[in-house]
Amino acid sequence: MQKSSTVALISSNKILLLKRGETAPWQPNKYCLPGGGVEVNENLIDAGIRELFEETGIILETSQLTPLTINYPKYSKLVFVCNKDNLYDVKLNWEHSDYQWASYIESFSMALVPGLDVTIKALCHWGYLI
């Protein structure tokens, strides 16, 4: 069973990437998608919405998210995608030190957490990123 939820927020053909803080216990100073653990009695989509809000201040509704299954070499994971036309105002919490709205090409010059390259390539394959 999947124990974490991730949201890929895409706006104006750029994906929101959050830079983990330098004291983060896992992958410090690397870029990731908003997301985190699923709490007791919480479903994946509600966890994604909650984590997105906690980490960025952005509020989304369930109806704005499309679930996509991303196939990694040894497992599959559900990622929730939201594609909007306007860039959002991001208000980072303590977990992250910076953020970038990155194009497909730009994202591959950034230090990404393991597996994020697979997610970004899948989003491009499905037409969410060019």
Side-chain angles (χ1 to χ4, degrees), residues 19-108:
K19 186 175 184 182
R20 298 176 57 75
E22 61 182 50
T23 60
W26 182 75
Q27 300 295 317
N29 294 316
K30 296 213 175 163
Y31 284 88
C32 63
L33 295 177
V38 178
E39 295 179 356
V40 176
N41 296 323
E42 187 177 45
N43 63 41
L44 286 173
I45 197 164
D46 289 340
I49 289 170
R50 176 185 51 76
E51 286 286 343
L52 178 70
F53 175 71
E54 288 175 2
E55 295 178 358
T56 68
I58 295 170
I59 299 171
L60 293 181
E61 301 291 325
T62 302
S63 62
Q64 295 175 283
L65 296 171
T66 301
L68 294 176
T69 300
I70 309 290
N71 296 310
Y72 301 91
K74 296 183 178 183
Y75 63 96
S76 295
K77 181 179 178 181
L78 199 60
V79 173
F80 297 98
V81 182
C82 178
N83 195 351
K84 298 299 249 175
D85 290 334
N86 56 328
L87 295 175
Y88 291 87
D89 183 27
V90 177
K91 297 176 183 77
L92 294 176
N93 71 356
W94 59 270
E95 292 181 71
H96 301 95
S97 61
D98 196 12
Y99 72 92
Q100 294 290 325
W101 288 99
S103 70
Y104 176 79
I105 297 297
E106 291 167 338
S107 69
F108 288 100

